[in-house]
Amino acid sequence: MKFIMKSILRNILMLSVLFAGSAMADTVAFTQAAFAKLQLEGKPILVHIHANWCPTCRAQAPIISSLLKQKYFQTVTSLRVDFDQQKDIVKAFHASRQSTLIVFKGNKELGRSLGDTTPDGIEKLLRKTL
């Protein structure tokens, strides 16, 4: 019985890692140059402060991916900031934790949320960019 439980848990973990990776496929890694260009062009932007080990970030990923595929949100560019590797960027956004979502329209920050994993909440935040 113990072996079966370990096997099930290992398979669940592997699937969650695979699922999280594929859900973030439409999100681009944050660079200051890309962010500045999008701001200059007045584009709608989602900045996602993300950590691979974060269960909340993993829960947000498929929701964000699904919303960005909808025709209504196709103009939104999602930029992912690596919470562990891009500490200077995290600090510049005044983000104290991973799973922070920040939306911009050009140079103006229009809203942010921390730890929201509800489709309605994330959609409401994204709507602010349009």
Side-chain angles (χ1 to χ4, degrees), residues 49-68:
I49 311 293
H50 178 88
N52 290 331
W53 49 263
C54 170
T56 304
C57 298
R58 286 194 304 267
Q60 290 172 327
I63 296 168
I64 293 168
S65 179
S66 176
L67 287 168
L68 294 179

Side-chain angles (χ1 to χ4, degrees), residues 7-80:
S7 178
I8 290 171
L9 288 173
R10 184 177 59 245
N11 288 338
I12 289 171
L13 179 60
M14 288 172 52
L15 286 172
S16 69
V17 168
L18 288 172
F19 184 72
S22 64
M24 295 303 288
D26 51 1
T27 298
V28 180
F30 181 94
T31 66
Q32 191 60 51
F35 183 62
K37 182 177 187 281
L38 291 166
Q39 285 188 305
L40 185 64
E41 294 171 352
K43 302 286 186 175
I45 308 162
L46 168 65
V47 173
H48 184 191
I49 311 293
H50 178 88
N52 290 331
W53 49 263
C54 170
T56 304
C57 298
R58 286 194 304 267
Q60 290 172 327
I63 296 168
I64 293 168
S65 179
S66 176
L67 287 168
L68 294 179
K69 288 178 182 158
Q70 293 178 15
K71 185 177 182 179
Y72 192 73
F73 295 114
Q74 287 182 348
T75 61
V76 177
T77 299
S78 177
L79 300 174
R80 184 180 63 238

Side-chain angles (χ1 to χ4, degrees), residues 52-114:
N52 290 331
W53 49 263
C54 170
T56 304
C57 298
R58 286 194 304 267
Q60 290 172 327
I63 296 168
I64 293 168
S65 179
S66 176
L67 287 168
L68 294 179
K69 288 178 182 158
Q70 293 178 15
K71 185 177 182 179
Y72 192 73
F73 295 114
Q74 287 182 348
T75 61
V76 177
T77 299
S78 177
L79 300 174
R80 184 180 63 238
V81 176
D82 187 309
F83 181 77
D84 296 313
Q85 301 297 317
Q86 294 179 296
K87 290 291 188 185
D88 55 333
I89 303 299
V90 172
K91 187 176 180 179
F93 281 118
H94 305 288
S96 59
R97 293 184 19 200
Q98 71 284 353
S99 73
T100 300
L101 304 175
I102 311 167
V103 292
F104 293 84
K105 178 75 174 210
N107 291 325
K108 186 173 182 184
E109 180 179 327
L110 300 174
R112 63 173 59 208
S113 70
L114 176 61

